[in-house]
Amino acid sequence: MKWFFILSGLIACTGKPVRSSCPVKMSPSRVVVRFGDPFSVNCSSPSNQIQSMGWESPYGTGIGRQDGVSSVSLKIDSVTDWDLRPLCFINLLDNNQCSEILSVTVYKMPDSVSMSQPSQMGPMVEGEKYRMQCDIVNVAPVRNLSVSWHKGNKMIYTEAFDETSPSPVNTSSIFNLTAQRSDNGTQIWCEAQLEFSPPVPNLHTIPSKFHEVVVLYSPTFTMPENETLELKASSKIILDCTATGNPMPVYSWHLPNTIQQTKKNKKENQPILAPSIQLPGTYTCTASNTQGTKTKIFTVVEVTRNRTTFAALVGVFLCVAALLFISGFFFVTPEGTFSFSKGSYLRGRPTSSGPV
Ligand SMILES: *[C@@H]1O[C@H](CO)[C@@H](O)[C@H](O)[C@H]1NC(C)=O
Ligand SMILES: *[C@@H]1O[C@H](CO)[C@@H](O)[C@H](O)[C@H]1NC(C)=O
Ligand SMILES: *[C@@H]1O[C@H](CO)[C@@H](O)[C@H](O)[C@H]1NC(C)=O
Ligand SMILES: *[C@@H]1O[C@H](CO)[C@@H](O)[C@H](O)[C@H]1NC(C)=O
Ligand SMILES: *[C@@H]1O[C@H](CO)[C@@H](O)[C@H](O)[C@H]1NC(C)=O
Ligand SMILES: *[C@@H]1O[C@H](CO)[C@@H](O)[C@H](O)[C@H]1NC(C)=O
């Protein structure tokens, strides 16, 4: 049956010699019009062999055959059909006829664009996949619809549709979002747009409402490695257990057994510990939230004996030197009689004052 039509079509085409090029010019050459709006189009021919020409269309003015003209114009006041195919025909003096169908695209902006997610947009969990859905209601033609997904200031996905229906449809775009901690606090939304070439001026994109993403993730230490710290007389040790996480992590510390943990100095919920009593041992910190618990170990060691002795010696030496210097400074008379001070150094400073 199908083949019969195709064959008869071929015979019709070949049997009746149709000019390879129909001398018809449409102006504009194609029409993109909003449902309900007007448009007009001119069909003209440069041929001087025209007997008559006209438009075939169920709507509009300027339809029907007109004799002895070289152009006919069709005017439709309000487009009320989604699938318009007006046809311009020319009857030539040699009894041949040629015709061309005007390409008309009738569009309608969506009534609404909205985003939904099965779990109704509660907080997400890092690493989990979420099926996000963007619903576009009553848009035409869907083959010129483009839906884009945005996260923060980035476009993350676009979708085109290859259905051919010229009349309005409801459709949706699905985007699988894998929640990342960096997504926390960002906004996500979808947008619908009709795309034509050449573009139709003043055709806006329609965005859905924003959704603010909340991503829950387990604590992660800003300095992840276990640490070994050396106890030095000169400086206090600081144990940094800071972790990021959503919700905010809660900290707890386990101090070496040698440190008496009274209620007062029990270190709870603080990310950084600077113990007032400096003792070697193993300090354990845990950071936890609803998504998990992480542990970090600080090993505090005393520096080895040799180095301690050396450091002590250096310390003592420096102290003595300093004492000598200070006493020299304060107790030496301008004449510089104290033998252990460098008189030459101080002689130049007669204003030296001291409790002499
Ligand atoms: C069609 O042609 C008429 C007369 O030539 C002109 O006034 C009119 O603006 C044209 N319309 C279009 C849509 O080109
Ligand atoms: C599209 O959805 C709207 C509202 O949900 C409904 O009224 C309309 O009938 C639907 N249209 C089609 C073509 O399914
Ligand atoms: C989203 O995930 C579902 C299954 O979870 C899959 O069938 C679908 O193809 C995915 N969609 C995209 C756009 O990746
Ligand atoms: C996650 O985002 C929420 C909402 O913007 C914000 O209140 C919260 O501080 C963020 N949390 C983290 C850990 O970034
Ligand atoms: C509509 O979209 C189709 C497919 O992308 C494209 O070929 C066609 O040119 C578009 N229509 C217009 C009027 O731009
Ligand atoms: C820290 O030490 C603990 C116990 O020795 C070990 O289980 C853990 O893997 C270490 N963590 C890192 C980041 O090296």
Side-chain angles (χ1 to χ4, degrees):
M1 200 59 180
K2 200 173 174 186
W3 281 107
F4 171 77
F5 280 117
I6 290 168
L7 277 176
S8 51
L10 280 174
I11 289 161
C13 285
T14 48
K16 194 179 176 189
V18 171
R19 312 227 152 198
S20 55
S21 70
C22 186
V24 156
K25 191 176 169 290
M26 302 275 201
S27 174
S29 58
R30 65 200 301 205
V31 169
V32 179
V33 61
R34 184 167 54 195
F35 189 81
D37 278 3
F39 77 90
S40 64
V41 62
N42 284 343
C43 174
S44 60
S45 175
S47 168
N48 56 7
Q49 302 293 305
I50 300 168
Q51 193 224 349
S52 60
M53 61 190 293
W55 281 99
E56 241 173 51
S57 162
Y59 313 96
T61 53
I63 53 177
R65 203 183 70 193
Q66 296 177 48
D67 293 328
V69 294
S70 61
S71 89
V72 282
S73 66
L74 169 73
K75 191 166 181 297
I76 293 183
D77 290 331
S78 170
V79 174
T80 53
D81 191 332
W82 298 101
D83 197 13
L84 277 181
R85 296 163 181 273
L87 177 146
C88 178
F89 61 85
I90 302 180
N91 295 318
L92 298 163
L93 290 174
D94 59 7
N95 280 334
N96 281 320
Q97 190 185 50
C98 82
S99 63
E100 198 168 297
I101 292 173
L102 173 69
S103 155
V104 180
T105 304
V106 182
Y107 70 85
K108 183 192 167 302
M109 297 303 280
D111 287 343
S112 70
V113 176
S114 57
M115 192 172 49
S116 63
Q117 184 211 147
S119 57
Q120 278 319 303
M121 302 290 194
M124 300 182 179
V125 173
E126 183 180 41
E128 301 274 301
K129 211 164 139 187
Y130 294 89
R131 186 180 186 273
M132 317 274 289
Q133 183 168 331
C134 185
D135 295 314
I136 297 103
V137 173
N138 225 359
V139 66
V142 69
R143 69 197 289 252
N144 294 89
L145 176 70
S146 163
V147 175
S148 55
W149 287 84
H150 300 257
K151 187 171 81 184
N153 51 12
K154 280 202 210 100
M155 196 200 277
I156 46 177
Y157 179 60
T158 59
E159 184 163 0
F161 301 83
D162 52 16
E163 301 155 63
T164 53
S165 165
S167 54
V169 296
N170 295 337
T171 190
S172 48
S173 168
I174 308 288
F175 175 64
N176 295 328
L177 177 79
T178 304
Q180 294 164 321
R181 59 182 60 194
S182 57
D183 295 340
N184 183 61
T186 61
Q187 289 178 322
I188 196 162
W189 74 96
C190 61
E191 279 181 3
Q193 188 174 13
L194 285 172
E195 287 180 343
F196 301 110
S197 61
V200 173
N202 302 321
L203 213 54
H204 301 293
T205 60
I206 300 189
S208 70
K209 286 203 182 96
F210 295 119
H211 170 67
E212 186 157 298
V213 179
V214 174
V215 180
L216 303 178
Y217 56 98
S218 64
T220 306
F221 297 116
T222 32
M223 288 187 286
E225 285 76 35
N226 292 331
E227 288 182 49
T228 299
L229 296 104
E230 292 184 345
L231 266 184
K232 288 184 194 124
S234 52
S235 58
K236 290 191 78 178
I237 51 167
I238 290 172
L239 312 177
D240 187 351
C241 183
T242 309
T244 56
N246 196 17
M248 200 125 90
V250 170
Y251 301 91
S252 73
W253 290 87
H254 190 262
L255 309 185
N257 291 333
T258 46
I259 299 179
Q260 285 284 316
Q261 287 195 38
T262 63
K263 229 189 177 111
K264 193 170 159 247
N265 73 3
K266 199 152 187 271
K267 308 297 180 186
E268 285 305 340
N269 203 18
Q270 60 184 54
I272 294 174
L273 184 70
S276 48
I277 319 161
Q278 308 265 299
L279 280 179
T282 302
Y283 295 70
T284 309
C285 165
T286 57
S288 51
N289 66 12
T290 53
Q291 306 311 111
T293 297
K294 296 280 168 60
T295 300
K296 180 169 172 177
I297 294 170
F298 296 88
T299 310
V300 177
V301 294
E302 273 180 299
V303 278
T304 57
R305 186 147 219 112
N306 282 345
R307 286 172 67 186
T308 322
T309 326
F310 178 72
L313 283 175
V314 169
V316 167
F317 178 77
L318 285 175
C319 284
V320 168
L323 271 175
L324 287 181
F325 179 79
I326 291 164
S327 53
F329 188 86
F330 284 106
F331 292 102
V332 162
T333 62
E335 293 85 281
T337 46
F338 275 105
S339 58
F340 59 74
S341 69
K342 289 245 191 288
S344 58
Y345 173 64
L346 285 155
R347 195 160 285 137
R349 324 181 97 213
T351 49
S352 292
S353 58
V356 179

